[in-house]
Amino acid sequence: MNNISLKALAKINLGLDVVRRREDGYHEVRMIMQTVHLYDKLEITKTKEPGIVIKSNLSYVPTNENNLVYKAAKILMDEFNIQEGVSVNLIKRIPVAAGMAGGSSDAAAMLYGMNQIFDLKLSRKQLMERGVKIGADVPYCLMRGTALAEGIGEELTQLPPMVKCPVLIAKPQISVSTKFVYENLKLNDETVHPDIDQLVKDIENKDLHAIAGHMGNVLETVTIPEYPIIAQIKEQMMQSGAINSMMSGSGPTVFGLFEDEETAKKAYDDMVKSGLAKQIYLTSIYNNRRD
Ligand code: ATP
């Protein structure tokens, strides 16, 4: 096999809680991760010349060693002493720096692809062990589907598949640094934490309205006061008939869950007309796992 074309799927968080700040500065989280059918594409080709060459359709995405795809390739090339090279055409659609794990999913796809084209015979678990060195979300991106992520996000418990429904994604034209959000998160007695255990039960019960009703993201306490446009986008989705809407990850992307395709399509049009968001996608819950 000399080349492979892969989809790197994005995630949303149906729930995101920060339990505490650890002494080493990392935050202990409890998150419900859900794959959606919005993806980047990686066209990976084995080359005779050694090295890792990346090109992308987006000029502002790094194509050097700062790209997580590069890191993924390098880890396996070093470990397996691979003498050939790889070239990757990275076609980005997932909003960048947006709380949808775009870079992590690209890295996961690269690990998966390298394993195939160089016939490394690593199991999914072994790929996950390499993936966590690149980022806490990479193991989840290798797994996909519905999962509870704890620790710094790398301790995964597979959950039953989420109820399928249309998902509207909207990202405003602002950048939010994940570092800024976590550094400015103040956890105290007044902090309202989402009930992650209840969300797990709702997912097990396949109750879409209960899931939507218990969605919560503690990071909104930092981003919404700082960037009110996030609240405006949420409100816009609610007015268009979302069952609920929420920010994903550390933002600024907002997603809304919808009961039916027709309402979701109308909500998409309304969002376009509102001018609040720069990137808008109508997508759906994706439940297939990678073996
Ligand atoms: P998360 O949901 O984990 O917070 P994110 O959506 O914030 O992810 P990414 O889209 O992965 O973040 O990108 C964050 C930064 O990482 C970008 O600004 C970019 O400079 C860098 N980066 C590295 N590799 C990639 C990649 N493959 N795609 C996009 N950005 C990348």
Side-chain angles (χ1 to χ4, degrees):
M1 189 195 276
N2 277 323
N3 50 61
I4 187 167
S5 182
L6 296 168
K7 287 180 186 174
L9 289 123
K11 62 89 182 158
I12 53 173
N13 295 102
L14 297 170
L16 194 162
D17 193 18
V18 179
V19 183
R20 68 180 184 102
R21 191 192 162 97
R22 302 196 315 199
E23 261 129 55
D24 60 8
Y26 281 101
H27 287 82
E28 210 172 285
V29 293
R30 295 191 81 215
M31 308 187 284
I32 307 284
M33 316 287 276
Q34 176 60 54
T35 310
V36 289
H37 202 218
L38 167 64
Y39 53 86
D40 294 342
K41 266 185 116 175
L42 277 82
E43 294 163 356
I44 310 169
T45 309
K46 201 194 273 186
T47 58
K48 286 227 160 52
E49 314 77 62
I52 304 157
V53 177
I54 301 172
K55 64 173 185 160
S56 168
N57 59 323
L58 294 186
S59 56
Y60 55 87
V61 168
T63 50
N64 57 12
E65 64 282 1
N66 293 324
N67 196 306
L68 301 188
V69 166
Y70 188 103
K71 290 185 184 167
K74 180 90 170 63
I75 282 181
L76 295 182
M77 281 187 161
D78 288 351
E79 181 179 346
F80 290 89
N81 196 20
I82 295 170
Q83 299 301 320
E84 296 150 294
V86 277
S87 95
V88 185
N89 184 19
L90 175 60
I91 304 152
K92 294 238 28 124
R93 283 184 80 225
I94 305 173
V96 174
M100 301 199 77
S104 303
S105 192
D106 295 343
M110 191 63 194
L111 291 172
Y112 183 90
M114 292 281 293
N115 193 38
Q116 300 281 322
I117 60 173
F118 292 104
D119 198 21
L120 306 178
K121 300 193 164 51
L122 292 170
S123 65
R124 191 181 69 178
K125 186 163 169 285
Q126 288 170 321
L127 288 178
M128 285 169 145
E129 285 160 10
R130 273 89 182 153
V132 75
K133 296 183 198 152
I134 306 167
D137 285 346
V138 178
Y140 166 71
C141 293
L142 278 157
M143 173 170 151
R144 294 176 167 174
T146 313
L148 170 67
E150 295 173 290
I152 59 162
E154 85 299 10
E155 286 171 25
L156 298 170
T157 310
Q158 197 168 298
L159 297 175
M162 160 75 181
V163 186
K164 282 215 158 189
C165 68
V167 181
L168 181 63
I169 307 273
K171 180 190 171 276
Q173 194 170 18
I174 52 168
S175 294
V176 177
S177 137
T178 304
K179 195 163 167 271
F180 169 86
V181 176
Y182 276 96
E183 277 176 4
N184 285 279
L185 176 67
K186 290 182 186 67
L187 295 174
N188 54 40
D189 294 347
E190 272 135 60
T191 309
V192 181
H193 292 272
D195 190 344
I196 300 293
D197 293 324
Q198 183 59 48
L199 259 174
V200 170
K201 284 187 197 136
D202 300 335
I203 289 168
E204 285 166 354
N205 293 337
K206 307 214 171 293
D207 185 340
L208 181 57
H209 281 264
I211 295 166
H214 291 119
M215 282 182 350
N217 181 347
V218 80
L219 301 180
E220 286 185 346
T221 59
V222 183
T223 50
I224 290 190
E226 193 75 17
Y227 307 101
I229 194 160
I230 294 171
Q232 285 176 274
I233 294 179
K234 286 177 57 166
E235 187 48 39
Q236 172 66 48
M237 288 199 192
M238 296 309 286
Q239 275 174 15
S240 297
I243 315 173
N244 205 354
S245 71
M246 195 177 83
M247 184 180 82
S248 184
S250 53
T253 304
V254 171
F255 69 90
L257 302 184
F258 289 81
E259 194 127 34
D260 58 85
E261 201 68 31
E262 203 183 318
T263 314
K265 276 193 182 131
K266 165 93 174 38
Y268 174 95
D269 293 340
D270 292 346
M271 188 61 71
V272 173
K273 277 190 216 129
S274 77
L276 291 169
K278 186 172 176 248
Q279 279 172 286
I280 310 168
Y281 295 103
L282 182 53
T283 179
S284 58
I285 298 292
Y286 183 96
N287 282 325
N288 293 351
R289 297 198 164 90
R290 269 204 190 100
D291 323 303

